[in-house]
Amino acid sequence: MADFKTFSMELGGRTLSVDIGRVGAQANGACFMHYGETVVLSTATASRAPREGIDFFPLSVEFEEKMYAVGKFPGGFNKREGKASTHAVLTSRVIDRPMRPLFPKDYRNDVTLNNLVMSVDPTCDPEVVAMLGSSLAVSISDIPFDGPCAMTQLGLINGEFVVNPGYEQKSRSDLALTVASTRDKVIMIEAGANEIPEAKMIEAIYKCDEINKEIIAFFDQIIAEVGKAKSDYTHYEIPAELNAALYDLCPGEEMEKAVFTDDKQTRENNIAAIRDAFAEKYEEEHPEWMSLVGDALYQYQKKTVRKMILKDHKRPDGRAIKQIRPLAAEIDLIPRAHGSAMFTRGQTQICDCVTLAPLSEAQKVEGLNPYITKARYMHQYNFPSYSVGETKPSRGPGRREIGHGALAERALVPVLPSEEEFPYAIRAVSETFESNGSTSQASICASCMALMAAGVPIKKPVAGISCGLVTGETDDDYIVLTDIQGLEDFFGDMDFKVAGTHDGITAIQMDIKIHGLTRQSVEEAIATTKEAREYILTEVMEKCIAEPRKELSKYAPKIMSMKIDPEKIGEVVGQRGKTINALIDMYDVQIDIDDDGSVSICGEDAVKMQKAAKAIEIIVTEFEKGMILTGKVVSIKEFGAFLEFAPGKESMVHISKIANARINKVEDVLQIGDVVRAICLGKDKMGRISFSIKDCPKEGSEGIGRVVACADPDDFE
């Protein structure tokens, strides 16, 4: 084996070490990362030539979860890892977002960053290792890259920050924060939080930034020792003659008129007209320009919009810098949905539908984190082509849709009731009807209202809003925009999304296209979104629906829960499920039992559900002297009769305890199927529980015993 070098640093109380030159020698850059006993192989590869016919940087980021990393077989029939899990997709996106701005803007070579998770130490999350490995792999390679960047995760447990928390710590943390930084600035923020105040969130962000600077200093040492010289590449440039011809055809004032409108389709038609006019004039003379005119127009629009905003404080749709587009909210659009709501902000419109189901319908999760085995709340986001006036078939959710759904889910989880308070699985689906900026935040607003309309007792309403940024030549030359529309997102430098309640932040996602933000601009963005969030909550959402409904939809399943001794679960289930299936058939309900003894009963008839609960209570009850129960005669012997008090729960009444007078045969008094009341006599000389019919007080009298909550006699008919 070739010689390799190992570099180490202490990070969050554990050792981070990197082997360079040990594996993956044919990749442009490869880092064999170790953090505790977590091992990730991070590689960076690039194509030798640019991809033809594209006007974007083709970066692909992969996070491969291997079940051998935690000593498990993959689930399912095919014992092999399949498509990337939702968690893997989200991790890939978190790696992509801070790194993409650091590649040259005119770089068109394909680049793939691959992270192979080979071993997982539960105290050292592989997400962090993959994030750091990707940055370092590109930085030591010959791929052009203005890095390195570094990423840190931060938790908040009992009021104390925890650097790079492990799985168990994350399960009880009030904060799940990931921050990426360059040498000088914060470049990416991702957060989920239990209503963290803005000031505390800013403190947490810059705690991560401090640690990131230490990591970058460590990376710089590695790059200086083993880094490759950066290769040259084919630069993508628009000919100056083309730009001059375009400016001559459409002077700056005309371009301002073309983009200065609050209607997205009008603006697109204006730009299309300019493109058609350019093609008509130059297609024969300069056919080589035709493949470049689209990008030239994009750059021209971008230059125009940024100048209008930054210098003239004019937005394309005429709004003030902090003005939110017209808002509207309504509920109960979809009659059969258990809850529905629609939220409209300008030309962005989301309809959300909530469905309630038994906890057994919760999403089972197979992954590397043993503390996440199911998702009781699922938020899914759909973005059809018609929402932006395009035509293409749906091929299922892409990474963007998965990411937007996860962001909305993260924003609402902190206000959901516990399973004990509300024993339902919850699915919210956001359908994008129209899109022109920040549909993910509109889906948070719509979903929150739909949950309240469905009767889900959330703790507080949650709203989301996005702000943007346009920067000038210096760090002090910038402007923050409230509620950015699509054009401002495309041509601006930042999309800063913040969701929360009146009392604090529940989710953040910050994407930027430049090399980082100053602390001043981060603080201003957070303050701006708080002001806008308060307005949306107070003036729009709470005026539509102020609190969760007290009653569920008539179409929603009825669910009640109870708790039993876990050691009694087997008695309720019965041999091969005989007992529980008898209960399900008898009462027309669905019964689910967790290993901790939590029982969920779901049905349409509340009376039958109560009877099923009473029957379960009887099954798990230890008979004691003085208990009175109603039972059905299921077997007759010479010496007595056997009564069934609930499926699988029987006891005997001796012939001498059936009637006050002596009887010769049990059949003289009782027949199979008879329903009678009996009192428990306790244990006989043989240690067996016995009952008496003749000693049982009459119904309604003050007998010596106590009546157990038990099945109704009608149940046995």
Side-chain angles (χ1 to χ4, degrees):
M1 179 182 291
D3 292 337
F4 65 90
K5 294 188 176 182
T6 299
F7 303 86
S8 300
M9 73 171 288
E10 291 303 304
L11 179 61
R14 288 147 287 177
T15 300
L16 173 71
S17 64
V18 186
D19 296 337
I20 307 293
R22 187 176 187 180
V23 296
Q26 295 190 48
N28 295 66
C31 300
F32 204 36
M33 309 288 293
H34 304 261
Y35 193 33
E37 291 186 336
T38 291
V39 178
V40 177
L41 172 60
S42 297
T43 57
T45 51
S47 62
R48 295 180 182 274
R51 192 195 297 184
E52 294 291 335
I54 62 170
D55 58 1
F56 61 92
F57 169 45
L59 173 65
S60 175
V61 181
E62 305 296 334
F63 181 79
E64 295 188 50
E65 298 172 311
K66 299 296 184 179
M67 295 307 293
Y68 59 68
V70 289
K72 291 182 179 179
F73 272 35
F77 180 78
N78 184 18
K79 298 299 179 183
R80 183 170 184 149
E81 289 85 1
K83 70 174 184 178
S85 68
T86 296
H87 175 262
V89 169
L90 297 176
T91 302
S92 298
R93 282 171 55 84
V94 168
I95 296 170
D96 180 299
R97 287 180 4 233
M99 295 190 64
R100 187 177 290 271
L102 301 179
F103 289 91
K105 292 186 182 299
D106 63 344
Y107 193 48
R108 297 293 182 265
N109 297 49
D110 285 276
V111 173
T112 298
L113 308 181
N114 189 278
N115 297 278
L116 179 63
V117 181
M118 306 187 74
S119 177
V120 175
D121 179 341
T123 65
C124 300
D125 195 326
E127 288 180 27
V128 176
V129 186
M131 293 171 188
L132 297 177
S134 291
S135 174
L136 185 57
V138 180
S139 297
I140 65 171
S141 77
D142 59 348
I143 301 171
F145 184 65
D146 193 12
C149 60
M151 291 171 245
T152 296
Q153 292 187 336
L154 201 71
L156 182 65
I157 301 175
N158 298 325
E160 299 293 328
F161 290 134
V162 179
V163 177
N164 292 338
Y167 288 147
E168 188 276 331
Q169 291 173 313
K170 285 186 175 183
S171 70
R172 52 191 177 89
S173 176
D174 289 320
L175 174 66
L177 173 66
T178 302
V179 175
S181 308
T182 61
R183 289 184 180 86
D184 305 313
K185 300 174 183 176
V186 168
I187 195 169
M188 191 277 296
I189 303 170
E190 177 107 354
N194 289 335
E195 295 184 276
I196 300 295
E198 277 71 12
K200 192 70 172 179
M201 183 65 77
I202 291 169
E203 180 187 353
I205 290 169
Y206 283 92
K207 171 72 173 177
C208 291
D209 186 48
E210 290 176 11
I211 298 168
N212 286 337
K213 286 178 169 54
E214 296 174 11
I215 297 171
I216 290 172
F218 170 59
F219 283 0
D220 283 341
Q221 296 172 12
I222 300 173
I223 296 165
E225 191 165 340
V226 300
K228 300 176 184 178
K230 296 301 181 184
S231 62
D232 196 8
Y233 63 95
T234 302
H235 294 265
Y236 178 83
E237 294 179 341
I238 298 172
E241 296 84 356
L242 191 161
N243 282 328
L246 182 59
Y247 296 164
D248 182 62
L249 177 74
C250 178
E253 297 81 6
E254 294 300 317
M255 180 57 77
E256 285 191 21
K257 291 178 182 177
V259 299
F260 200 88
T261 173
D262 62 354
D263 184 75
K264 180 180 175 183
Q265 288 185 319
T266 299
R267 181 170 54 251
E268 290 177 349
N269 290 337
N270 293 342
I271 299 301
I274 296 171
R275 184 187 296 108
D276 293 343
F278 187 88
E280 183 178 351
K281 184 173 183 178
Y282 292 105
E283 189 169 16
E284 291 186 6
E285 183 181 352
H286 292 286
E288 74 280 5
W289 286 1
M290 294 305 103
S291 63
L292 303 174
V293 67
D295 198 31
L297 266 171
Y298 174 87
Q299 297 297 337
Y300 192 7
Q301 290 180 79
K302 181 175 182 178
K303 178 180 177 181
T304 302
V305 170
R306 292 175 66 86
K307 179 258 181 185
M308 288 165 59
I309 293 173
L310 191 62
K311 303 303 181 185
D312 304 333
H313 287 201
K314 292 171 61 178
R315 300 178 71 170
D317 57 4
R319 279 183 292 148
I321 296 302
K322 290 194 174 185
Q323 184 180 351
I324 302 174
R325 288 171 288 174
L327 301 170
E330 55 184 304
I331 57 174
D332 301 333
L333 285 81
I334 314 302
R336 287 274 177 164
H338 300 159
S340 65
M342 188 163 72
F343 183 83
T344 305
R345 188 193 324 107
Q347 290 184 303
T348 291
Q349 189 175 63
I350 296 285
C351 178
D352 191 271
C353 296
V354 166
T355 307
L356 306 177
L359 289 170
S360 59
E361 294 293 328
Q363 175 72 56
K364 293 180 175 60
V365 177
E366 181 186 55
L368 306 181
N369 188 340
Y371 292 90
I372 301 178
T373 58
K374 69 175 182 178
R376 172 234 185 171
Y377 173 62
M378 295 153 276
H379 188 286
Q380 296 163 351
Y381 166 97
N382 296 314
F383 189 83
S385 58
Y386 63 74
S387 67
V388 287
E390 297 177 355
T391 173
K392 63 179 179 179
S394 174
R395 294 286 184 261
R399 292 191 169 195
R400 177 182 177 276
E401 286 83 357
I402 291 172
H404 278 15
L407 175 59
E409 181 174 302
R410 190 162 59 246
L412 289 161
V413 163
V415 301
L416 292 177
S418 66
E419 290 185 7
E420 290 73 24
E421 295 171 305
F422 192 70
Y424 286 83
I426 308 164
R427 179 177 182 243
V429 179
S430 291
E431 304 288 0
T432 306
F433 285 171
E434 188 178 3
S435 174
N436 185 12
S438 199
T439 48
S440 65
Q441 300 308 286
S443 72
I444 291 171
C445 300
S447 301
C448 179
M449 293 190 297
L451 288 167
M452 291 193 287
V456 178
I458 64 171
K459 299 167 189 173
K460 301 172 186 176
V462 175
I465 191 67
S466 177
C467 70
L469 179 79
V470 177
T471 57
E473 298 299 323
T474 66
D475 285 348
D476 295 330
D477 185 17
Y478 69 89
I479 194 164
V480 175
L481 306 173
T482 300
D483 178 27
I484 56 172
Q485 59 169 307
L487 193 72
E488 294 165 332
D489 186 5
F490 297 151
F491 299 148
D493 297 319
M494 175 184 76
D495 184 6
F496 201 126
K497 306 168 184 173
V498 183
T501 66
H502 286 296
D503 299 321
I505 294 170
T506 59
I508 294 179
Q509 187 176 95
M510 184 196 83
D511 298 323
I512 63 173
K513 302 169 188 174
I514 54 177
H515 289 198
L517 297 181
T518 63
R519 179 161 183 159
Q520 179 182 344
S521 57
V522 169
E523 291 182 356
E524 185 173 338
I526 289 178
T528 297
T529 55
K530 177 177 173 56
E531 180 182 346
R533 185 174 82 237
E534 294 277 5
Y535 176 82
I536 294 169
L537 284 169
T538 303
E539 298 299 324
V540 182
M541 292 173 58
E542 291 170 1
K543 287 184 177 179
C544 178
I545 179 167
E547 61 183 17
R549 285 177 169 149
K550 304 303 180 185
E551 301 292 332
L552 301 182
S553 163
K554 63 181 180 180
Y555 300 115
K558 310 300 185 290
I559 299 177
M560 62 180 298
S561 58
M562 60 188 297
K563 198 88 170 177
I564 64 172
D565 185 341
E567 294 185 1
K568 298 286 187 179
I569 293 174
E571 296 180 27
V572 178
V573 174
Q575 188 175 15
R576 298 180 181 175
K578 181 179 179 181
T579 302
I580 196 169
N581 286 330
L583 289 168
I584 291 170
D585 292 341
M586 181 181 295
Y587 301 110
D588 193 24
V589 294
Q590 179 178 329
I591 301 173
D592 299 298
I593 307 177
D594 288 339
D595 291 341
D596 65 353
S598 297
V599 180
S600 174
I601 303 169
C602 175
E604 296 181 359
D605 189 321
V607 174
K608 289 183 177 180
M609 291 167 61
Q610 288 287 349
K611 290 180 177 181
K614 290 178 181 179
I616 292 172
E617 185 176 341
I618 293 169
I619 292 170
V620 301
T621 297
E622 294 290 345
F623 291 144
E624 297 176 1
K625 185 175 181 179
M627 286 183 176
I628 299 171
L629 290 94
T630 299
K632 180 171 69 173
V633 178
V634 293
S635 177
I636 293 177
K637 306 294 182 184
E638 292 183 3
F639 51 82
F642 284 87
L643 302 183
E644 182 185 64
F645 303 107
K649 191 77 168 182
E650 299 178 3
S651 195
M652 190 195 75
V653 179
H654 191 267
I655 191 171
S656 64
K657 299 296 183 179
I658 292 176
N660 290 320
R662 177 182 175 82
I663 59 175
N664 295 320
K665 292 169 56 179
V666 175
E667 290 89 337
D668 292 341
V669 179
L670 296 176
Q671 301 295 322
I672 290 178
D674 286 351
V675 177
V676 297
R677 282 162 49 90
I679 186 169
C680 181
L681 301 177
K683 294 181 180 179
D684 60 17
K685 295 178 181 179
M686 303 288 290
R688 297 170 300 193
I689 296 291
S690 63
F691 277 77
S692 171
I693 296 174
K694 73 175 186 179
D695 296 318
C696 185
K698 291 183 179 180
E699 202 166 352
S701 65
E702 296 183 3
I704 59 171
R706 61 186 180 86
V707 178
V708 173
C710 61
D712 191 280
D714 292 342
D715 297 346
F716 299 110
E717 293 180 359

